[in-house]
Amino acid sequence: MNGNRVYNFNAGPAALPLEVLEEIKDSFLNYAGSGMSIIEISHRSKWFDDIINDAVARTKQLLKLDDKFKVLFIQGGASMQFCMIPMNFLRDGETADYVNTGTWSTKAIKEAQILGKTINVAASSEDRNFSYIPKEIRFNPDAVFAHITSNNTIKGTQFASFPETNGLPLIGDMSSDIMSRPFDVDKFGLIYAGAQKNIGPAGVCMVIIREDMLKKIPDELPSMLKYTTYADKNSMYNTPPCFAVYTIQLVLKWLQETIGGLDKMDAINRKQAKTLYDAFDSSDFYQGTAEPDSRSLMNVTFRLPDEDLERRFIEEAAENGFGGLKGHRSVGGCRASIYNATTMAAVEALADFMKSFEQKNG
Ligand SMILES: *Cc1c(COP(=O)(O)O)cnc(C)c1O
């Protein structure tokens, strides 16, 4: 425990920086002298305009995006992107390449197929229970785009670098690692990320889209399901999720001003992940489930010798102030999600707890 707050290892919604929560608390009843709460002001007000524009500007600064990229905020979570992407970019007779690296990629493929689109699985790690990231992926040059999940939240694997697409626009589901490290955005035609893992609360998905992609979108789609609607109206065609966007703005400000940008964030994230992976590598008691060269810096997945010990581990951890260590219900085991807001103190406390649990039970 850390005061009255647990060490939060939830997978999403997940930990947010304490400084951000305190700032929200301070301005909750009277936002910026408006005499109204942030959840009471109009999305057509100058106050909200400044918030959304600042969130966009900070996203562009942090990711070094030039003017050919637009930053949008869309409701419906990352899961709605699974259908919007094929609706907007795949016409009859066209195909797209998807890399299947786990539960979320599988869902993305399924949603495109529900729409009757032709999907080619360019590579998959299903043969070893999604425990690794496929290497040397060859994309079909006739595909319209290539889709990857940069970090596999449930299986605990992550692309260390992004595959060469030879000019195909890459589309990335970065829900669980956006803003965790710098990367080269130039290959990407579209990036999307449900906010509730690394950049804010639930209720909004950040979408970064390149101009040439916007030009391919047919007119005859429902307004709420086409990216052009959001791009033309600065994400305010209808009422946006104001509170979620406000929180994102504060998290991005924290990333820039308190952490010092994505290079610094990356160094911290690597150090934290190494602390936990070193704990497995020096023990026969804990077994990592991801192959070492594919390990995620965000979601550390592991097993204990049997399920009974896993249950006790999670229980005793909870009694000692560690929250969220149960693996996803579809895979079992344990998972520590160590997103940007997780502190080194929390990670070190967990590594110590793991050691003492092993001493008692190993
Ligand atoms: C959580 C998650 C999703 C689903 O996000 P929702 O916002 O709940 O729809 C999709 N992809 C990845 C990689 C995720 O981690």
Side-chain angles (χ1 to χ4, degrees):
M1 297 282 275
N2 181 10
N4 61 355
R5 289 177 47 81
V6 302
Y7 292 126
N8 184 350
F9 295 96
N10 276 322
L16 286 167
L18 186 58
E19 295 94 317
V20 166
L21 298 176
E22 278 168 347
E23 188 167 347
I24 292 171
K25 183 171 160 230
D26 287 345
S27 63
F28 197 69
L29 294 184
N30 186 352
Y31 175 72
S34 65
M36 293 176 276
S37 169
I38 180 67
I39 60 170
E40 296 176 310
I41 62 173
S42 168
H43 62 293
R44 306 286 176 209
S45 64
K46 166 97 170 64
W47 293 295
F48 190 70
D49 235 12
D50 289 348
I51 289 170
I52 199 164
N53 290 337
D54 191 58
V56 168
R58 290 183 188 278
T59 302
K60 289 188 163 183
Q61 288 156 12
L62 281 158
L63 295 176
K64 303 191 162 64
L65 302 178
D66 64 31
D67 285 340
K68 59 179 190 288
F69 288 97
K70 293 251 189 205
V71 180
L72 313 177
F73 298 100
I74 301 180
Q75 298 193 51
S79 299
M80 203 171 77
Q81 297 304 306
F82 297 162
C83 74
M84 275 181 77
I85 289 161
M87 281 174 98
N88 281 259
F89 303 121
L90 262 184
R91 299 181 190 230
D92 288 347
E94 293 178 338
T95 80
D97 273 9
Y98 278 62
V99 180
N100 191 3
T101 49
T103 316
W104 296 115
S105 320
T106 304
K107 286 196 176 180
I109 293 166
K110 186 178 142 222
E111 292 297 310
Q113 289 170 338
I114 288 172
L115 291 165
K117 309 289 183 182
T118 312
I119 300 304
N120 170 46
V121 177
S124 167
S125 52
E126 195 170 6
D127 59 336
R128 294 205 296 279
N129 196 22
F130 297 118
S131 59
Y132 69 103
I133 298 291
K135 286 169 200 74
E136 292 175 31
I137 303 165
R138 266 194 213 101
F139 292 105
N140 168 12
D142 296 327
V144 172
F145 63 80
H147 181 283
I148 60 166
T149 309
S150 57
N151 181 68
N152 298 282
T153 326
I154 294 174
K155 304 291 181 179
T157 63
Q158 184 178 28
F159 280 86
S161 61
F162 296 120
E164 182 49 64
T165 59
N166 294 313
L168 280 188
L170 193 56
I171 294 187
D173 176 355
M174 295 200 183
S175 293
S176 50
D177 67 354
I178 189 143
M179 302 290 178
S180 69
R181 56 180 176 176
F183 64 92
D184 177 10
V185 294
D186 278 339
K187 300 180 183 171
F188 286 91
L190 188 148
I191 293 163
Y192 62 102
Q196 70 274 18
K197 273 71 182 232
N198 229 349
I199 52 171
V204 70
C205 186
M206 177 184 275
V207 174
I208 297 164
I209 185 167
R210 216 170 55 197
E211 243 160 23
D212 57 295
M213 300 293 283
L214 282 168
K215 299 211 172 87
K216 297 177 186 167
I217 297 171
D219 279 338
E220 61 277 10
L221 289 174
S223 307
M224 289 297 287
L225 295 175
K226 62 182 172 191
Y227 295 107
T228 39
T229 304
Y230 296 85
D232 293 344
K233 301 283 182 187
N234 199 23
S235 304
M236 291 189 282
Y237 167 75
N238 74 329
T239 317
C242 300
F243 181 72
V245 174
Y246 167 60
T247 308
I248 291 176
Q249 180 214 5
L250 296 185
V251 170
L252 300 179
K253 187 171 85 162
W254 168 84
L255 262 173
Q256 289 184 300
E257 294 174 9
T258 305
I259 298 296
L262 296 191
D263 286 312
K264 295 262 171 62
M265 192 72 256
D266 185 40
I268 294 169
N269 286 331
R270 281 176 193 282
K271 196 163 160 225
Q272 293 185 349
K274 184 172 187 302
T275 302
L276 294 184
Y277 287 119
D278 282 353
F280 315 150
D281 290 342
S282 60
S283 138
D284 298 323
F285 188 72
Y286 300 102
Q287 290 289 329
T289 61
E291 295 184 12
D293 66 355
S294 303
R295 285 170 167 176
S296 167
L297 301 175
M298 297 278 100
N299 307 96
V300 177
T301 50
F302 56 101
R303 310 259 4 187
L304 276 66
D306 63 58
E307 287 184 9
D308 187 48
L309 277 170
E310 286 172 352
R311 242 187 320 273
R312 277 172 43 213
F313 174 82
I314 292 160
E315 236 171 65
E316 266 184 52
E319 282 159 19
N320 284 277
F322 299 94
L325 291 171
K326 201 167 187 300
H328 190 269
R329 59 190 187 282
S330 64
V331 295
C334 303
R335 170 176 56 175
S337 296
I338 48 171
Y339 300 124
N340 286 353
T342 308
T343 61
M344 194 64 206
V347 170
E348 277 168 354
L350 177 60
D352 288 346
F353 173 79
M354 287 171 71
K355 252 183 227 124
S356 74
F357 188 87
E358 176 178 356
Q359 273 159 12
K360 274 187 278 174
N361 300 283

